[in-house]
Amino acid sequence: MTHTCIHWFSKGLRLHDNPALMAALKDCKQLYPVFILDPYLHNNACVGINRWRFLIGALKDLDGSLRKLNSRLFVVRGKPEDVLPKLFTKWKVTRLTYEYDTEPYSLQRDSKVTSLAKERGVEVIYKVSHTLYNIERIIEENNGKPPLTYTKLQAIAKTIGPPKRPIPAPTMDDMKDVKTPSSENHEKEYGIPTLEELGLDTAPLGEDLFPGGEQEALRRLDEHMKRTKWVCTFEKPQTSPNSLSPSTTVLSPYVTFGCLSVRTFWWRLTEVYRGNKHSDPPVSLHGQLLWREFFYTASLGIPSFNKMEGNSVCTQVDWDTNPDYLAAWREARTGYPFIDAIMTQLRQEGWIHHLARHAVACFLTRGDLWISWEEGQKVFEQLLLDGDWALNAGNWQWLSASTFFHQYFRVYSPVAFGKKTDKNGDYIRKYLPLLKKFPAEYIYEPWKAPRSIQQAAGCIVGKDYPHPIVQHEVISKKNIQRMKLAYAKRSPESPSKSKGVKRKAPSIIEMIKKKAKVK
């Protein structure tokens, strides 16, 4: 039997290592590669302008690669459970393939789509390829509980063995008997929209430092893998949060959008490591990919993972509600140049270094402003190119000392931390040009500069640049005591002190498995 197939690019925007796409091509006579602009995921509250630009770039790149195989991308708009059944009927579809996604919204969405497909006699196949391992398998290996420590995850991964090797992208030979129907109205009906057509204001956009797409992802990967010594000696904590050009790979946006397969990344690193002395997890590049796996596993196994309430492993903290403080942090108006420079880079470029994220997250939550990590999570989700549901929620819990990390008395200084790697304040001068004429002695603390120096720098604190929003030395000590109280209220049997949390059965995934054909 030959099939008319939709391959739904729900996550992995690439051709390489795309087993669901290859499953679509088996016994396939007609292929419709589809991307859905879902109003729940693709709206301006969730997606900042840099993320939109990256997504549109990735779609253009994907369409270009498909056209080289005599196919094309069909972009449709609406809820997947509304638009896919219509396409099943319109195109007489007999098979649907997609990449497995562990986000709660995606699991519910995919369950609905699978049921609707089955009702219409459409075969459904999904494949695991957005993570190194099948996350369900990791949880099963840990007695149905997500491992809550990195070492436990490592041990389970070791038991399972290395991740599956990536598979090649489809070739013209794979496509020789497959046709993608096309007509004159397809471009108008299914073309990739421009940012302007989406009603977006492109005025704030600066240089496109990280262009979206699979080809750019593979180019960057190749470029980094040539740096054998750098790859082998890479240790995340030794990289700089405020270097003028990134001190890490910046491949994370490409992995988040699925332009780069995480398994391809893993095995390329393995090749570079082979025969060389190299750093190890958790600080190595392999270690970074395992951190991703760690948070994905936690996010699947822990209900309400992106919230404090209802999250069984999260310390319950009496965070303040202070819209003015939150706005000042989000809009780079805290009066601490290091913090404001980071938040400016985030808004302008859509990326900031891992340790810069540490600094601003600690400042917003337990360090200074005592605002819930959930508020910071929302801002990062909108502005970060690599804003990933599981990693974002997990890292915010970690940095606010709510979950995973419990040394709440270790607080990042908004002054001293940046000075460690940039005494002269060049990073601040780049992103806050208003302060660029301040001498190094005062660039991190302009409020301490004598009036004459402020005048000479052309920036008066309190008029041109704000006074510090809080006194760090005072408030951080007070907040440590508040955190101590929150910890004291945790019950001795609190899951946040244990090694795992048992999941309630049956899971949504199990429900999907009953309805979908997994190969």
Side-chain angles (χ1 to χ4, degrees):
M1 179 187 173
T2 54
H3 287 276
T4 297
C5 304
I6 285 178
H7 174 68
W8 174 21
F9 283 96
S10 59
K11 201 80 171 180
L13 304 182
R14 64 176 184 275
L15 300 189
H16 77 279
D17 193 31
N18 195 330
L21 175 60
M22 295 307 281
L25 296 179
K26 191 179 177 186
D27 304 322
C28 176
K29 61 176 180 179
Q30 288 191 329
L31 174 71
Y32 291 91
V34 167
F35 178 82
I36 302 171
L37 280 169
D38 180 344
Y40 178 83
L41 295 175
H42 307 112
N43 63 71
N44 293 350
C46 294
V47 186
I49 189 66
N50 282 302
R51 274 180 75 95
W52 270 117
R53 176 167 65 179
F54 191 98
L55 173 62
I56 298 301
L59 296 178
K60 284 179 181 171
D61 178 86
L62 184 58
D63 184 52
S65 297
L66 287 165
R67 286 176 189 268
K68 287 173 187 169
L69 298 172
N70 295 326
S71 185
R72 62 156 297 160
L73 187 65
F74 293 80
V75 177
V76 293
R77 302 186 200 193
K79 292 180 181 176
E81 58 266 36
D82 293 338
V83 298
L84 283 170
K86 290 173 186 169
L87 295 178
F88 295 157
T89 304
K90 185 175 183 179
W91 293 337
K92 299 182 173 60
V93 172
T94 58
R95 178 188 285 162
L96 170 71
T97 64
Y98 65 90
E99 183 177 58
Y100 174 63
D101 185 356
T102 55
E103 290 181 27
Y105 167 75
S106 306
L107 288 169
Q108 290 178 357
R109 173 200 68 195
D110 298 349
S111 179
K112 285 179 200 166
V113 167
T114 296
S115 295
L116 292 164
K118 292 287 182 187
E119 285 167 16
R120 288 158 178 77
V122 176
E123 177 190 28
V124 178
I125 300 172
Y126 69 82
K127 298 282 188 178
V128 173
S129 53
H130 189 63
T131 48
L132 292 171
Y133 297 95
N134 183 337
I135 299 300
E136 280 280 286
R137 171 87 189 275
I138 293 174
I139 292 172
E140 283 165 17
E141 291 285 339
N142 196 43
N143 300 316
K145 299 178 289 185
L148 294 183
T149 66
Y150 186 85
T151 49
K152 184 65 178 170
L153 177 101
Q154 275 183 292
I156 295 165
K158 198 173 179 181
T159 304
I160 295 172
K164 283 184 182 176
R165 287 187 177 269
I167 62 171
T171 62
M172 282 300 287
D173 195 46
D174 295 310
M175 297 284 286
K176 66 178 186 292
D177 299 320
V178 181
K179 299 279 183 287
T180 294
S182 63
S183 65
E184 285 179 16
N185 70 334
H186 275 178
E187 197 51 44
K188 188 179 176 185
E189 200 173 349
Y190 303 113
I192 298 166
T194 63
L195 293 172
E196 288 75 15
E197 283 166 356
L198 289 166
L200 297 164
D201 178 15
T202 57
L205 282 174
E207 185 187 348
D208 194 359
L209 298 172
F210 314 110
E214 179 181 19
Q215 300 314 307
E216 179 67 13
L218 293 173
R219 184 194 71 74
R220 285 173 178 257
L221 180 67
D222 286 342
E223 197 177 81
H224 285 298
M225 292 307 103
K226 286 173 190 165
R227 302 164 66 194
T228 303
K229 188 182 176 189
W230 183 82
V231 168
C232 289
T233 58
F234 182 95
E235 292 190 5
K236 192 64 169 274
Q238 305 308 318
T239 55
S240 170
N242 46 8
S243 54
L244 297 187
S245 58
S247 57
T248 54
T249 66
V250 197
L251 285 169
S252 52
Y254 300 92
V255 175
T256 296
F257 278 85
C259 303
L260 175 62
S261 154
V262 68
R263 299 190 300 206
T264 297
F265 194 175
W266 177 277
W267 283 102
R268 286 292 298 276
L269 286 168
T270 302
E271 287 166 23
V272 177
Y273 288 157
R274 195 170 286 125
N276 292 306
K277 187 183 176 188
H278 59 83
S279 55
D280 292 309
V283 296
S284 65
L285 284 167
H286 261 176
Q288 304 316 299
L289 299 182
L290 284 173
W291 274 118
R292 180 176 184 267
E293 217 72 4
F294 172 77
F295 285 126
Y296 264 79
T297 307
S299 74
L300 179 62
I302 300 166
S304 303
F305 186 65
N306 66 329
K307 297 181 173 66
M308 179 178 78
E309 289 186 18
N311 180 338
S312 61
V313 299
C314 183
T315 302
Q316 304 298 299
V317 179
D318 64 334
W319 302 111
D320 292 340
T321 301
N322 191 323
D324 292 341
Y325 276 14
L326 178 61
W329 176 82
R330 186 178 61 237
E331 294 160 16
R333 295 186 286 103
T334 69
Y336 283 96
F338 181 53
I339 300 297
D340 293 343
I342 293 168
M343 295 305 289
T344 301
Q345 183 188 15
L346 172 60
R347 187 166 293 279
Q348 285 179 1
E349 299 175 6
W351 183 87
I352 49 177
H353 185 277
H354 180 69
L355 294 175
R357 301 177 197 202
H358 282 220
V360 294
C362 182
F363 187 88
L364 178 72
T365 58
R366 63 189 173 86
D368 295 81
L369 302 186
W370 201 255
I371 288 171
S372 170
W373 57 267
E374 290 179 46
E375 296 298 336
Q377 176 183 237
K378 288 174 199 165
V379 173
F380 272 25
E381 181 184 16
Q382 184 189 34
L383 298 181
L384 277 173
L385 292 175
D386 58 11
D388 177 300
W389 189 86
L391 274 67
N392 197 24
N395 276 305
W396 272 99
Q397 287 175 75
W398 185 295
L399 295 168
S400 62
S402 297
T403 317
F404 309 117
F405 174 79
H406 303 301
Q407 295 174 29
Y408 58 83
F409 43 85
R410 290 177 60 184
V411 174
Y412 289 95
S413 163
V415 174
F417 185 51
K419 283 184 180 177
K420 282 184 190 174
T421 44
D422 179 24
K423 279 199 173 86
N424 195 45
D426 293 337
Y427 175 81
I428 292 168
R429 296 173 207 282
K430 178 179 178 180
Y431 291 104
L432 299 179
L434 188 69
L435 301 175
K436 69 182 177 185
K437 290 183 181 174
F438 273 89
E441 185 185 350
Y442 297 112
I443 189 84
Y444 283 87
E445 301 170 283
W447 63 91
K448 288 187 176 178
R451 181 85 176 186
S452 58
I453 287 178
Q454 293 183 34
Q455 285 172 331
C459 175
I460 304 298
V461 174
K463 180 186 167 201
D464 305 309
Y465 181 73
H467 282 293
I469 193 166
V470 289
Q471 264 186 284
H472 173 72
E473 296 80 4
V474 176
I475 201 73
S476 59
K477 289 183 177 67
K478 182 185 168 191
N479 288 348
I480 286 170
Q481 293 309 309
R482 290 180 82 173
M483 209 68 189
K484 193 175 179 181
L485 280 173
Y487 269 61
K489 287 177 185 173
R490 298 192 308 174
S491 65
E493 289 81 31
S494 167
S496 50
K497 293 181 179 179
S498 68
K499 290 182 179 176
V501 53
K502 192 82 175 175
R503 289 195 311 147
K504 291 177 184 173
S507 68
I508 293 168
I509 307 92
E510 285 155 359
M511 287 156 56
I512 290 177
K513 280 183 177 172
K514 287 177 186 173
K515 293 175 180 171
K517 183 176 176 183
V518 188
K519 293 186 178 177

